[in-house]
Amino acid sequence: MNDVNRFSLERGTWYAWQMLPGYTESPYFSPIRVHSVEPLGTGARRLRLHFYNAFYAEGVRDFVLTIQTLSRQREYLVAAIVYDGGPSDRTCIMHSVTFDWLETSARYMMENERPSPSERHGIDGVQQYLDRVLGAQDR
């Protein structure tokens, strides 16, 4: 997905993930690291997304989901999660992960493992921080 005017997902990159509804009454938030993105070519704006879901249960964090793009803007992508061929009641929002987002959505991780000054101020600092704390998880 490479359109300079709209948000794109790149292999090996961490993103902020929000899912509504979540697994409980609250929305679900997690950093995800994209392994691959495959346009399905159906004309229905569907993608097969393979990713590592950092905050899901240990041992089952690799996901392959079909999503249907609802809105793709410059800074974010909103999609319906598709199960069994049709959209579900779940929606996901993906955008670039930032330290501000992590401090809000992953406070416990940030409190236990603070970013180094070079991560905090580096151009790819948040990516380096997540690789260090959560692992690169490339597949």
Side-chain angles (χ1 to χ4, degrees), residues 4-128:
V4 295
N5 295 316
R6 295 189 297 165
F7 183 77
S8 293
L9 297 168
E10 301 293 330
R11 183 184 186 284
T13 302
W14 289 99
Y15 295 96
W17 169 275
Q18 179 179 356
M19 187 175 66
L20 302 158
Y23 299 110
T24 63
E25 293 177 9
S26 301
Y28 174 78
F29 298 90
S30 179
I32 65 166
R33 185 177 173 105
V34 171
H35 298 313
S36 65
V37 181
E38 176 190 352
L40 295 181
T42 63
R45 302 178 324 273
R46 290 190 176 178
L47 306 168
R48 182 161 296 115
L49 180 62
H50 179 197
F51 62 98
Y52 175 79
N53 186 341
F55 291 168
Y56 201 72
E58 192 169 343
V60 288
R61 293 181 178 158
D62 281 314
F63 279 71
V64 178
L65 291 177
T66 298
I67 61 172
Q68 182 173 353
T69 301
L70 301 174
S71 179
R72 186 171 164 224
Q73 302 301 315
R74 184 176 197 86
E75 297 178 357
Y76 63 89
L77 182 145
V78 179
I81 297 175
V82 178
Y83 297 113
D84 299 323
S88 70
D89 65 340
R90 285 211 161 116
T91 302
C92 62
I93 302 166
M94 291 169 273
H95 56 84
S96 297
V97 67
T98 63
F99 284 115
D100 287 342
W101 183 84
L102 288 170
E103 287 169 357
T104 300
S105 302
R107 181 177 307 269
Y108 65 91
M109 182 180 74
M110 295 290 289
E111 289 171 353
N112 291 328
E113 194 72 47
R114 301 302 303 166
S116 69
S118 64
E119 289 168 337
R120 184 59 92 167
H121 301 292
I123 216 161
D124 290 323
V126 74
Q127 296 292 315
Q128 293 168 0

Side-chain angles (χ1 to χ4, degrees), residues 121-139:
H121 301 292
I123 216 161
D124 290 323
V126 74
Q127 296 292 315
Q128 293 168 0
Y129 170 77
L130 290 170
D131 281 348
R132 177 174 62 82
V133 173
L134 300 173
Q137 304 301 327
D138 277 332
R139 302 224 179 343

